Amino acid sequence: MADLQACSEFLQKGKANEVKEIVQQALDEGMNIKEILEEGLMSGMNIIGVKFKNNEIFIPEVLIAARAMNAGAALLKPFMKDAGVEPKGTAVIGTVKGDLHDIGKNLVAMMMEGKGFKIVDLGTDITAQKYIEAAIEHDADIICCSALLTTTMNEMGNVVKAATEAGIRDKVKIMVGGAPVTQSFCDTIGADYYTPDATSAAETALTICA
Ligand code: B1M
């Protein structure tokens, strides 16, 4: 019988081939999709999140674990809808206009994916208007803005304004983060949540959509 605990451990070590093998075996045995996803994949990514937050592991380990998670999740994807596995929520994510830094943004996206979110990754250099259009198109619960430059972080305020102008401010929460961003900046621009790292961002997103 497919060993989901072993799958979770292989995921944490970034062993994508082994993860795929166990997920395929579990599928062949007719195991419950939700069980494979939660016990084989998400449990491993949760442990990675905690270790990253505690500085026990670093960016490369997170990236290879996320790659293994994606490899396993890709096998499950075609069956998710039929199995009634709904995403925990939908988040539109991007790095703000004028800013090309995307490593932190990608980590946030991966951690949120690991928690079961549908992620619409817009990339970098994203205008306020683009965030809003995507949030409307995908009926997003959360808009996630990342900024690494003191010269671009103010663009986050424009995203909040644009959401208000588009009449979606009560439907979508706005989360902000990135090295120069602080709680007091978040409060000043009227965003909903500031989190200092990718793991807390994913945890906060889960609380928002609980
Ligand atoms: Co740039 N850069 N860079 N850079 N760069 C910094 C940010 C800088 C601090 C370096 C320095 O001078 N010491 C400085 C900013 C100064 C400032 O504004 N205060 C700087 C500068 C000035 C620039 C340029 C202007 C340089 C130039 O051309 N003169 C230029 C700007 C280009 C542009 O964006 N328009 C530039 C360019 C680049 C590269 C392209 C070379 C490259 C980016 C490659 C890429 O991202 N694909 C780069 C890099 C790599 C850095 C440093 C070295 C590393 C940034 C990084 O990826 N950190 C950085 C210096 C440093 O930090 N040591 C620097 C790792 C990443 C995991 O951390 O993104 O903070 P971070 O994400 C964290 C948290 O912040 C949080 O979670 C992550 C961890 O869990 N987080 C969120 C991030 N987003 C979040 C969103 C959330 C919640 C949490 O909710 C939605």
Side-chain angles (χ1 to χ4, degrees), residues 77-113:
K77 226 173 198 164
F79 308 102
M80 291 229 211
K81 220 171 181 184
D82 289 346
V85 180
E86 293 294 331
K88 295 278 183 338
T90 300
V92 161
I93 189 165
T95 306
V96 297
K97 186 180 157 197
D99 202 323
L100 302 175
H101 296 86
D102 68 356
I103 299 169
K105 183 265 295 170
N106 293 343
L107 287 175
V108 173
M110 283 169 195
M111 289 298 178
M112 287 178 71
E113 234 162 19

Side-chain angles (χ1 to χ4, degrees), residues 52 59 93 98-105 107-108 143-151 175-180 195-199 201:
F52 181 53
I59 295 168
I93 189 165
D99 202 323
L100 302 175
H101 296 86
D102 68 356
I103 299 169
K105 183 265 295 170
L107 287 175
V108 173
I143 293 176
C144 297
C145 303
S146 178
L148 261 286
L149 299 171
T150 45
T151 49
M175 286 176 60
V176 294
T195 51
D197 56 69
T199 308

Side-chain angles (χ1 to χ4, degrees), residues 7-210:
C7 185
S8 164
E9 281 163 18
F10 279 130
L11 182 149
Q12 291 167 56
K13 291 180 192 146
K15 306 261 184 205
N17 288 338
E18 286 81 350
V19 168
K20 276 201 288 190
E21 265 169 35
I22 299 180
V23 169
Q24 190 57 57
Q25 188 194 345
L27 282 170
D28 294 344
E29 289 169 359
M31 217 180 245
N32 181 284
I33 305 292
K34 198 160 182 259
E35 196 182 337
I36 306 173
L37 181 68
E38 288 181 357
E39 289 175 29
L41 302 180
M42 280 162 71
S43 69
M45 207 58 200
N46 283 340
I47 295 170
I48 286 292
V50 173
K51 287 189 175 166
F52 181 53
K53 195 173 179 177
N54 295 336
N55 292 322
E56 289 168 40
I57 57 168
F58 300 97
I59 295 168
E61 286 100 318
V62 179
L63 294 180
I64 57 163
R67 193 187 54 186
M69 161 113 197
N70 288 337
L75 294 176
L76 295 181
K77 226 173 198 164
F79 308 102
M80 291 229 211
K81 220 171 181 184
D82 289 346
V85 180
E86 293 294 331
K88 295 278 183 338
T90 300
V92 161
I93 189 165
T95 306
V96 297
K97 186 180 157 197
D99 202 323
L100 302 175
H101 296 86
D102 68 356
I103 299 169
K105 183 265 295 170
N106 293 343
L107 287 175
V108 173
M110 283 169 195
M111 289 298 178
M112 287 178 71
E113 234 162 19
K115 292 268 184 212
F117 275 82
K118 177 184 166 194
I119 298 296
V120 180
D121 190 345
L122 302 175
T124 59
D125 191 18
I126 301 305
T127 61
Q129 206 46 43
K130 255 196 191 169
Y131 281 105
I132 305 309
E133 282 166 13
I136 294 169
E137 183 188 339
H138 297 278
D139 196 17
D141 304 290
I142 310 173
I143 293 176
C144 297
C145 303
S146 178
L148 261 286
L149 299 171
T150 45
T151 49
T152 60
M153 60 196 276
N154 287 317
E155 188 60 32
M156 292 175 166
N158 292 335
V159 178
V160 177
K161 278 189 210 140
T164 308
E165 281 163 17
I168 60 165
R169 193 66 191 89
D170 56 340
K171 292 198 194 95
V172 70
K173 297 289 179 202
I174 300 177
M175 286 176 60
V176 294
V181 181
T182 59
Q183 182 63 55
S184 109
F185 177 76
C186 170
D187 297 340
T188 307
I189 63 169
D192 297 301
Y193 297 95
Y194 157 74
T195 51
D197 56 69
T199 308
S200 350
E203 284 161 358
T204 302
L206 209 51
T207 317
I208 295 170
C209 293

